[in-house]
């Protein structure tokens, strides 16, 4: 795989399924290198596998499809070519899409009412005089009074709050009605089975700008009768009504006594009565870390996805709690799913694919699509190292073709409460195709192995993470065919933190390093990052006197190997000063170092930045390794 081959990697969105279970619709998006954009349309897929998928729309960038409950209409979001994403509706028996909204900042998350007559959605509402035709630098100053006022890859949020809207898409001139009001963000709206209520998430309490807690709220579709359902001690997401309309399921986790602690806490499934009361956790807090959007298919339980040792399984969780039923597992990842009429469709990635649709029907699993990747990919080799305390460290290696010995890269993921897994990973494929064996894994601190695994490193992140990373690296070298004298280390975000740490404390193992979008100095990260005010204390500990010792920047005077720093100008998750401080320190010491700075990008450059920037980044990384390994 070459850098430009990212154009051959399709990304599947969340599918929707027709009420009779016969068809699914899914958005398929790819980078367009010539246009320097992402392009995508909707595809119609028979769920019995009887026919090939066919294109339903051609974009320029269509996403978030959803069938109406009567099956007659398909709603979706269309953007691209500089246009804000707006709501469109089209008949399922043929016909042109009709534009329904004209929100100044676009819309997202459309959902049909049970009678198929209305759609609810969320949209950001700009403060008067902002985000219009005037130049941003000519706007009046912002008055900031709380800690939550901006977000990476978005920018300022306090002056464009997210609100819930309802629209009749069949009106001669559709006009959306704003349901929620106030200086609060509202999101993830859903309808009750009888259409009498909307449920959504919002932090409307007095400490909303200094904690991570929020609530599930309900109101009538006209905004009346607004009331809180949960007890403001959780961080919540994605509410869904049970089929009888009596309860709400949602994803959530306790945010600690101060409401500011969510690092390495497993996200669970909860149930709360619509009338209010104590929420009950349905999944085991230690074992299950949930991801994706829950579905409530029937009276027996809730469909959810859960991380599991690099995989993502599809589970059915009973309303009474207890052991879930596993519906999809193995060496693959369920990225999104939908259910109707006893049929489940899921977008699933594996070591040969970035994502394909499968169907579960009549007790069988059917593969429905073959969208890609359209290029040959190298296989993933599972490895396990053993830490000095006997703990197993799970990971993988992507090995180049040929006998070797190959130069080798230790690649470290971000988070740290995240996981590498079973899918085609463009980074590993590009580097391995260029001749480098890529070692990657989930040391303690990662998610998907139980909550204790994730919380092990808290308060001593660099030292404890390094122990497991060295064990995994040694296990990879023991497989043979690798050249330990030509080794490099790289990573982004927390992986960049650990790259700097490894270069300082284990630099004798590596000939060069690449740190990207990293945390290097905990003290300034605490004050400058969009999440730093809560994240730093949670992960690195309350004793700020120990932050200096835990900061990789403190140990940069021990770095002697060539060091490349990659960062983005608009990164607000790990602000660019984190890179600048490290670069200056290395330069003043005479260490061979370079600073690659991308304009107009945020923290997600390597995953969703401009296609041209993603290719340029890959080319710079390969040039660096070619020069030093």
């Amino acid at each position: 795989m070459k850098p430009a081959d990212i154009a051959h990697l399709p990304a599947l969105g969340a599918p929707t399924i027709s009420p009779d279970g016969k068809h699914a619709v899914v958005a398929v998006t790819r980078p367009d290198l010539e246009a320097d954009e992402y392009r995508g349309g909707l595809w119609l897929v028979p769920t019995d596998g009887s026919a090939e998928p066919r294109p339903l729309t051609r974009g320029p960038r269509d996403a978030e499809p959803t069938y109406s409950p009567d099956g007659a209409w398909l709603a979706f979001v269309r953007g691209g070519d500089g246009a804000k994403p707006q709501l469109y509706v089209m008949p399922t028996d043929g016909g042109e899409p009709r534009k329904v909204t004209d929100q100044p900042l676009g819309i997202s998350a459309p959902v049909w009412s049970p009678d198929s007559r209305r759609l609810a959605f969320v949209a950001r509402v700009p403060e008067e005089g902002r985000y219009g035709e005037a130049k941003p630098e000519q706007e009046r100053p912002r008055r900031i009074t709380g800690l939550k006022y901006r977000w990476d890859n978005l920018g300022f949020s306090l002056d464009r709050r997210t609100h819930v809207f309802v629209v009749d898409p069949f009106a001669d001139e559709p006009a959306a009605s704003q349901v929620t009001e106030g200086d609060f963000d509202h999101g993830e709206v859903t309808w009750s089975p009888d259409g009498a209520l909307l449920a959504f998430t919002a932090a409307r309490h007095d400490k909303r700008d200094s904690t991570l807690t929020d609530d599930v709220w309900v109101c009538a579709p006209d905004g009346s009768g607004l009331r809180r359902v949960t007890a403001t001690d959780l961080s919540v997401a994605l509410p869904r009504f049970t089929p009888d309309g009596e309860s709400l399921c949602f994803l959530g986790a306790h945010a600690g006594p101060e409401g500011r602690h969510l690092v390495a806490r497993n996200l669970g499934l909860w149930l709360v009565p619509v009338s209010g009361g104590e929420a009950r956790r349905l999944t085991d807090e230690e074992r299950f870390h949930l991801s994706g959007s829950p579905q409530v298919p029937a009276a027996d339980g809730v469909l959810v996805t859960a991380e599991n040792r690099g995989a993502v399984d599809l589970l059915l969780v009973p309303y009474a709690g207890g052991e879930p039923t596993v519906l999809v597992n193995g060496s693959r990842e369920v990225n999104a799913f939908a259910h109707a009429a006893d049929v489940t469709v899921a977008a699933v990635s594996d070591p040969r694919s970035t994502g394909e649709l499968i169907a579960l029907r009549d007790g069988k699993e059917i593969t429905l699509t073959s969208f890609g990747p359209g290029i040959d990919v190298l296989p993933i080799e599972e490895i396990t190292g053993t830490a000095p305390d006997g703990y197993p460290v799970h990971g993988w290696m992507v090995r180049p073709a040929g006998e070797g010995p190959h130069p080798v890269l230790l690649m470290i993921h971000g988070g740290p409460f995240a996981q590498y897994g079973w899918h085609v990973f463009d980074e590993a494929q590009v580097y391995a195709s260029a001749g480098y064996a890529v070692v990657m894994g989930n040391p303690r601190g990662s998610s998907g192995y139980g909550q204790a695994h994730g919380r092990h490193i808290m308060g001593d992140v660099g030292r404890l993470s390094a122990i497991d990373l060295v064990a995994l690296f040694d296990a990879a070298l023991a497989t043979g065919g690798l050249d330990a004298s030509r080794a490099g280390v790289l990573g982004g975000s927390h992986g960049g933190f650990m790259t700097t740490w490894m270069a300082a404390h284990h630099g004798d193992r590596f000939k060069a390093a690449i740190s990207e979008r990293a945390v290097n100095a905990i003290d300034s990260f605490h004050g400058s990052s969009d999440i730093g005010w809560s994240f730093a204390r949670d992960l690195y500990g309350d004793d700020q006197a120990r932050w200096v010792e835990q900061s990789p920047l403190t140990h940069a005077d021990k770095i002697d190997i060539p060091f490349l720093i990659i960062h983005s100008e608009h990164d607000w998750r790990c602000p660019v000063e984190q890179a600048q401080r490290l670069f200056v320190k290395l330069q003043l010491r005479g260490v061979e170092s370079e600073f690659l700075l991308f304009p107009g990008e945020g923290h997600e450059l390597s995953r969703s930045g401009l296609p041209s920037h993603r290719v340029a980044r890959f080319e710079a990384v390969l040039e660096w390794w070619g020069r030093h390994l």
Side-chain angles (χ1 to χ4, degrees), residues 1-9 31-34 375 430 611 614-616 618-619 622:
M1 180 179 173
K2 302 292 195 297
D5 286 336
I6 61 171
H8 298 290
L9 298 182
D32 182 333
L33 295 179
E34 184 175 344
I375 54 174
V430 166
R614 291 176 62 187
V615 171
F618 270 141
E619 291 173 342
L622 292 177

Side-chain angles (χ1 to χ4, degrees), residues 546-559:
R546 293 200 63 244
W547 287 0
V548 174
E549 173 61 26
Q550 290 191 70
S551 294
L553 184 68
T554 300
H555 308 280
D557 56 358
K558 302 174 187 176
I559 295 175

Side-chain angles (χ1 to χ4, degrees), residues 366-453:
I366 307 168
T367 299
L368 303 177
T369 64
S370 55
F371 289 121
I375 54 174
D376 291 332
V377 294
L378 294 163
I380 299 175
E381 178 183 333
E382 194 170 12
I383 55 176
T384 301
T386 303
D389 63 356
Y391 194 85
V393 186
H394 182 221
W396 299 267
M397 178 165 53
V398 182
R399 192 186 295 264
E403 294 183 2
H406 306 290
V408 58
L409 304 176
L410 175 62
M411 188 163 63
I412 309 169
H413 69 63
F417 197 59
Q419 64 168 10
Y420 280 136
W422 296 99
H423 65 274
V424 173
F425 184 25
D426 60 349
E427 303 237 5
Q429 292 294 325
V430 166
Y431 306 148
S433 295
Y436 305 93
V438 180
V439 179
M440 53 187 183
N442 296 324
R444 279 172 283 189
S446 306
S447 59
Y449 298 75
Q451 193 163 256
H453 179 98

Side-chain angles (χ1 to χ4, degrees), residues 533-549:
W533 57 273
S534 64
F535 189 93
R537 287 181 58 199
D538 206 353
L539 181 60
Y540 306 113
D542 286 330
D543 184 1
Q544 296 187 21
R546 293 200 63 244
W547 287 0
V548 174
E549 173 61 26

Side-chain angles (χ1 to χ4, degrees), residues 111 120 164-166 179 189-192 195-200 217-223 241:
V111 57
V164 175
F165 290 78
V166 170
V179 175
V189 62
T190 190
W191 293 84
S192 64
L197 291 175
L198 295 172
F200 47 86
W217 293 75
V218 296
C219 70
D222 63 1
F241 284 93

Side-chain angles (χ1 to χ4, degrees), residues 236-259:
V236 302
L238 298 162
R240 297 289 184 266
F241 284 93
T242 54
D244 61 10
E246 296 296 320
S247 299
L248 280 156
C249 297
F250 60 92
L251 302 186
H254 278 293
E258 295 179 330

